[in-house]
Amino acid sequence: MSESGTEPKAEEVWDPQVARWRDPEGDYVLPHALRSLPQPWDECDWGRIAELPRTDERLAEARRAVTVLLDDPELASYVPQPPSPGLLWHVWEEFHQAVATKMPRTSQVTWCGVDELVHAWRGRPQLLPLQRHVVRHVEAAMLAMIPSLRDDIADSVFRWLALDPDPGRFADWAVALAERCVTEDIGADSAIELLGAMGGRESRAALERLSVRPDGPASWENAEAAQSMLFERWSEGTNC
């Protein structure tokens, strides 16, 4: 971030050219798919999620949630990429945390509430240049919140499934969802952890497909993580 008297950095003067959008259903910021998630998935409250029993009803909710995250086109909106070095992402995340504190459920996130936060930030005695950028271009910050929530929710689902004493019992549906999430880089770390925890031929085959580099279906980083999981779980004849 630039200091007083220095030339502004590229990120500080960048115009993301994101206009404010309006939802026909009301003063909502987030797409319907995120607003309609059942509790506590709509709050990303890991403390509550971790305590959920893995009943048939809760498992069906979790499965539907991840399927929606993958299939709803509204959740794959293009987010403009800030200029290097990308520090603006961290300030966006700071604003997202403030939004989540003020409006914890996805259905509660409104432009009215966001504008109140913008007003509060503007009233701070010390506002750094990239924080000023966020309040000038809050629409871009909120657009970036959509993939962030998508990632957090998928991550929570896979972490919750992996807490089960026998996560392999979910393999008939969870392997395919986890593999797709790794490919699309949504909750990828937890998806790979779940594939390893489930064990079995299906999850091993998924990890093998994901570990192909450099031209496999996953990013280089996720392919490397899948390869590490294969080595950890199936090396030296281990068949867990």
Side-chain angles (χ1 to χ4, degrees), residues 101-238:
T101 299
K102 181 179 177 62
M103 298 166 277
R105 297 186 60 190
T106 51
S107 59
Q108 296 172 335
V109 183
T110 63
W111 285 116
C112 180
V114 168
D115 288 338
E116 288 176 5
L117 274 175
V118 167
H119 181 74
W121 274 40
R122 282 183 175 144
R124 290 180 178 182
Q126 295 284 338
L127 202 63
L128 296 172
L130 289 183
Q131 292 171 330
R132 286 197 294 270
H133 187 282
V134 167
V135 300
R136 286 198 309 269
H137 301 286
V138 70
E139 292 79 12
M142 297 312 296
L143 187 62
M145 192 174 184
I146 295 171
S148 176
L149 279 170
R150 194 184 185 204
D151 186 71
D152 287 347
I153 293 164
D155 177 82
S156 294
V157 169
F158 294 132
R159 287 171 65 195
W160 175 69
L161 292 174
L163 290 175
D164 192 84
D166 179 23
R169 67 192 182 99
F170 313 129
D172 61 331
W173 58 269
V175 167
L177 286 180
E179 184 174 2
R180 285 185 64 194
C181 282
V182 176
T183 299
E184 299 193 28
D185 201 18
I186 305 168
D189 290 344
S190 293
I192 289 169
E193 289 289 337
L194 178 64
L195 287 169
M198 284 191 291
R201 287 193 297 270
E202 296 88 350
S203 57
R204 178 173 182 169
L207 286 168
E208 287 174 343
R209 288 189 292 270
L210 293 168
S211 67
V212 173
R213 294 179 296 174
D215 298 318
S219 68
W220 182 277
E221 182 180 0
N222 289 338
E224 198 168 58
Q227 191 174 79
S228 296
M229 181 58 67
L230 279 169
F231 180 79
E232 177 185 329
R233 297 289 181 173
W234 281 277
S235 63
E236 298 178 0
T238 302

Side-chain angles (χ1 to χ4, degrees), residues 51-129:
E51 297 299 322
L52 290 177
R54 277 164 289 279
T55 61
D56 289 345
E57 180 182 6
R58 288 299 191 181
L59 289 165
E61 285 178 355
R63 182 179 182 178
R64 281 196 300 272
V66 178
T67 302
V68 167
L69 297 179
L70 287 164
D71 292 344
D72 194 305
E74 279 194 306
L75 303 185
S77 302
Y78 170 72
V79 179
Q81 300 300 301
S84 296
L87 296 176
L88 191 53
W89 278 100
H90 299 296
V91 191
W92 280 347
E93 289 170 7
E94 180 188 357
F95 192 79
H96 297 164
Q97 288 298 318
V99 170
T101 299
K102 181 179 177 62
M103 298 166 277
R105 297 186 60 190
T106 51
S107 59
Q108 296 172 335
V109 183
T110 63
W111 285 116
C112 180
V114 168
D115 288 338
E116 288 176 5
L117 274 175
V118 167
H119 181 74
W121 274 40
R122 282 183 175 144
R124 290 180 178 182
Q126 295 284 338
L127 202 63
L128 296 172

